[in-house]
Amino acid sequence: QFFVFCHGLLQLSQLLVSGYLKSSISTIERRYGLSSQTSGLLASFNEVGNTLLIVFISYFGSRVHRPRFIGCGAILVSLAGFLMSLPHFITGPYEYDQSVASIFSNTTDLCQPKIPGSGGNHSDAGCTPHAARENHEVLLVMFTAQALLGIGGVPIQPFGISYIDDFASERNSPLYLGILFSVTVIGPGVAFMLGSAMLRFYVDIDKVTRDEIQLTNKDPRWVGAWWLGFLVAASLVAVSAVPYFFFPREMPKEVGEREHAFCPFVNETFRRFPLFLSDFPLVLLRNLRHPVYLLVVLAQVNLSAMVAGLATFMGKFLERQFSLTASLANMIIGAVNIPGAMVGIVVGGAILKRFQMSLRQCSAMCVLGMFLCLLLAFPLLFLGCPTQKVAGVTYSESSEFGHHALECNLQCNCPEKAYNPICGSNAIEYISPCSAGCRVVNINADNNSVLNYTDCSCISENGLAGFAKPGTCGTGCSHLFLPFVVLSCLAGILASTSHTPSFMLILRSIQPEDKSFAVGIQFMLLRVLAWMPGPVLYGSAIDTTCILWEKKCDRKAACRYYDNNLFRQR
């Protein structure tokens, strides 16, 4: 029972490390200027290390000291977690464009028409070879950490399950494995809640004092302390790895007659693996020719690819579509959507058990669940708003004000890459105070934050120069947020009711001696066809909807503005 407790704790903290990345992905994109395609690849890169090794690990399953192996895997995972946070410590503080001269820079992004002919008022100074190299280092470290995370995670689940199943009594084994399964489902929810808590802190909380932080967490330039969660999760993994070095190789069986009733196929895999490599092609062909098996696995692949992409980018979508903070978006996913999916899985299993369903009924239940999910998810295509009006990006003023509007900031020498969004009193957003032609900034003396910008030549109200507030205007979509969350949660519940029946279809339609292979091949296909490419495909689709890219050293970095309608539809 102590082993089960330790294993539950370890699986939870391992899922914290891998799930936490998904919760802070939009923050890491902003901090290091990544496209969604890159961040999607990063999010799914741990599957690479995992898939390469899983075959060998199962092969050695019965011959090694399993607890010790699990402990070593856990230490790798914890190392990977610490590595993930390393970029924060090797790069300088986060820099962003400001209107107020500060310790970071003495430049300003206000309109400064004083100096004719001297070019922009701050040049592209950030682009030294050092800056470019730093960016490569960051990516290298993160991809290495993700690969390590995958490799370290390999022995944890299969060895833990087989160890428990070998030494638990037949009566208790299903209970123990049920506990572990529920932990693996709860894990991602806890990870998103951790993300929600950590992203409330400013990223450089350890490098700058409180008074020097001029951003609030509602500002589009805000970057939360993404690295903090990795430290927490990695420490947890390290702590839960310790007991594994003290468990024996074999345990006395729990009291109670013992046959391999619950989990024969897991043990089977470890016992018969030497034959596995020689039989592999034959069994693979036999299973793949089995129409039920093939179709169900294909269905699961499609569903899992969708889940993988959604898990990675759902937070980013909520942030952009409904102008939420990253912290709130994670809170919604961790407290509403993931528990919804858990409820669905449990309900599906309960219905199965209650009505003792035949295979035909199982497949009917899957079809029904998916069809209802489609019906509920269809309105989500329309629940959202277009991108706010951004001068020069989604909206050109010349159409409304005649010709002078375009010239309004010509004398300002605006730097091209300035990004410090402000919302004009005419409800149009400007990329920076300079592009709105603002010449004056008013500061709140108490907490050093910007109150407003005045004397802005591009914002004209009744012929007078208008003013602007710092921060984005927002999409004005908050009234659709609640219906969206409710519908997406219900759709998730319905889709996940088909989880258990689809597994039953596979287990019951295959010849008993092939069960272990069938399940192994199924997980392999899910990894290679769904979990790996899913986030990358989603990220690429999201990138196609970007309308303004941040430029770093003449290359595309993170996206500043998306076309929200396209983002939602694609």
Side-chain angles (χ1 to χ4, degrees):
Q1 284 168 341
F2 183 59
F3 184 87
V4 174
F5 170 75
C6 288
H7 206 63
L9 195 63
L10 178 61
Q11 279 194 331
L12 181 69
S13 30
Q14 178 205 357
L15 283 163
L16 270 187
V17 178
S18 54
Y20 181 77
L21 174 67
K22 293 182 166 54
S23 75
S24 51
I25 203 101
S26 63
T27 302
I28 293 174
E29 275 180 20
R30 191 174 302 156
R31 174 67 184 85
Y32 294 109
L34 310 179
S35 67
S36 288
Q37 188 177 18
T38 310
S39 67
L41 183 61
L42 179 64
S44 63
F45 204 68
N46 58 335
E47 301 293 347
V48 176
N50 206 307
T51 310
L52 292 177
L53 274 172
I54 198 106
V55 172
F56 294 106
I57 282 294
S58 323
Y59 181 66
F60 292 118
S62 44
R63 307 175 192 175
V64 296
H65 192 309
R66 283 175 295 190
R68 213 165 276 169
F69 247 68
I70 296 175
C72 295
I75 283 175
L76 271 184
V77 169
S78 130
L79 189 69
F82 287 121
L83 260 182
M84 280 304 290
S85 65
L86 184 64
H88 171 75
F89 299 102
I90 57 177
T91 54
Y94 169 54
E95 288 165 1
Y96 50 89
D97 297 321
Q98 293 177 304
S99 337
V100 189
S102 73
I103 50 150
F104 296 120
S105 63
N106 50 7
T107 57
T108 161
D109 52 17
L110 289 177
C111 179
Q112 292 175 312
K114 305 186 224 8
I115 356 170
S118 68
N121 61 5
H122 54 174
S123 60
D124 203 354
C127 197
T128 54
H130 171 70
R133 200 181 68 239
E134 200 174 61
N135 213 55
H136 287 301
E137 283 168 8
V138 164
L139 279 179
L140 189 67
V141 168
M142 287 189 151
F143 275 98
T144 310
Q146 278 289 88
L148 269 184
L149 179 61
I151 293 168
V154 169
I156 294 178
Q157 204 163 6
F159 281 4
I161 288 179
S162 69
Y163 191 82
I164 289 171
D165 198 54
D166 278 355
F167 304 120
S169 75
E170 186 188 328
R171 266 212 358 254
N172 294 341
S173 182
L175 170 71
Y176 296 152
L177 293 163
I179 291 172
L180 290 187
F181 176 70
S182 61
V183 167
T184 47
V185 183
I186 294 166
V190 180
F192 276 97
M193 301 299 273
L194 180 68
S196 171
M198 294 306 166
L199 295 179
R200 293 200 175 116
F201 300 110
Y202 181 65
V203 61
D204 289 322
I205 197 161
D206 56 332
K207 297 181 187 172
V208 300
T209 60
R210 230 203 191 123
D211 314 332
E212 289 161 1
I213 304 170
Q214 296 177 343
L215 299 180
T216 65
N217 64 1
K218 297 200 172 40
D219 193 291
R221 295 164 298 162
W222 172 266
V223 168
W226 59 272
W227 50 277
L228 211 53
F230 284 117
L231 294 184
V232 172
S235 314
L236 265 175
V237 175
V239 169
S240 43
V242 174
Y244 283 94
F245 294 100
F246 302 101
F247 282 113
R249 185 181 185 132
E250 311 258 306
M251 262 191 203
K253 279 200 174 66
E254 246 185 341
V255 187
E257 268 314 297
R258 172 83 192 120
E259 297 140 37
H260 290 298
F262 174 70
C263 225
F265 56 93
V266 174
N267 288 308
E268 197 96 306
T269 313
F270 297 131
R271 306 252 148 66
R272 293 194 38 199
F273 210 88
L275 299 170
F276 184 71
L277 295 176
S278 53
D279 295 352
F280 188 75
L282 286 171
V283 180
L284 183 65
L285 282 174
R286 186 163 66 208
N287 282 336
L288 289 184
R289 277 209 313 266
H290 194 302
V292 176
Y293 179 77
L294 188 65
L295 287 168
V296 174
V297 169
L298 278 179
Q300 286 186 337
V301 161
N302 279 296
L303 184 62
S304 301
M306 184 184 86
V307 171
L310 269 183
T312 312
F313 291 115
M314 174 90 162
K316 184 185 172 78
F317 174 77
L318 292 176
E319 286 168 47
R320 295 293 180 146
Q321 197 71 52
F322 302 107
S323 315
L324 306 183
T325 64
S327 173
L328 182 59
N330 284 336
M331 177 75 92
I332 296 294
I333 296 170
V336 180
N337 288 76
I338 294 180
M342 285 164 55
V343 169
I345 293 177
V346 172
V347 167
I351 294 176
L352 259 192
K353 195 173 174 184
R354 172 79 184 73
F355 296 112
Q356 301 283 309
M357 294 189 160
S358 66
L359 284 190
R360 187 161 288 168
Q361 287 168 319
C362 272
S363 48
M365 183 176 157
C366 290
V367 170
L368 183 68
M370 284 305 164
F371 179 68
L372 289 174
C373 169
L374 263 180
L375 282 185
L376 275 185
F378 186 68
L380 297 181
L381 273 173
F382 308 104
L383 283 181
C385 309
T387 313
Q388 63 269 35
K389 291 180 175 175
V390 183
V393 181
T394 60
Y395 172 81
S396 76
E397 293 176 324
S398 49
S399 53
E400 266 185 49
F401 296 122
H403 201 56
H404 87 273
L406 276 176
E407 257 89 78
C408 64
N409 61 11
L410 273 188
Q411 82 279 27
C412 292
N413 298 316
C414 292
E416 266 173 49
K417 62 185 220 2
Y419 180 66
N420 175 4
I422 60 171
C423 186
S425 48
N426 54 1
I428 292 170
E429 190 169 316
Y430 295 83
I431 302 176
S432 70
C434 186
S435 64
C438 299
R439 292 188 168 89
V440 183
V441 57
N442 300 311
I443 306 280
N444 178 355
D446 296 338
N447 59 3
N448 212 5
S449 61
V450 175
L451 278 176
N452 62 4
Y453 298 92
T454 50
D455 199 6
C456 307
S457 49
C458 296
I459 310 171
S460 52
E461 289 182 298
N462 328 329
L464 299 165
F467 67 95
K469 285 193 160 52
T472 159
C473 289
T475 50
C477 235
S478 44
H479 59 293
L480 291 176
F481 175 53
L482 198 62
F484 184 92
V485 170
V486 171
L487 274 179
S488 69
C489 182
L490 287 174
I493 291 175
L494 285 168
S496 50
T497 50
S498 63
H499 179 274
T500 320
S502 67
F503 265 106
M504 282 301 130
L505 280 174
I506 287 180
L507 290 177
R508 288 194 199 156
S509 62
I510 274 249
Q511 294 165 346
E513 67 272 19
D514 286 351
K515 257 186 200 172
S516 54
F517 296 117
V519 172
I521 293 165
Q522 171 203 10
F523 277 113
M524 203 78 165
L525 289 172
L526 283 180
R527 282 239 158 78
V528 175
L529 299 177
W531 296 104
M532 280 185 204
V536 184
L537 291 171
Y538 265 69
S540 310
I542 290 173
D543 281 344
T544 60
T545 67
C546 183
I547 43 186
L548 180 69
W549 288 96
E550 166 195 11
K551 287 271 191 291
K552 254 191 191 169
C553 303
D554 298 330
R555 64 171 190 89
K556 283 197 306 195
C559 184
R560 302 283 200 208
Y561 290 105
Y562 291 97
D563 179 328
N564 273 349
N565 287 334
L566 284 179
F567 188 166
R568 188 172 62 248
Q569 288 152 9
R570 290 187 189 167

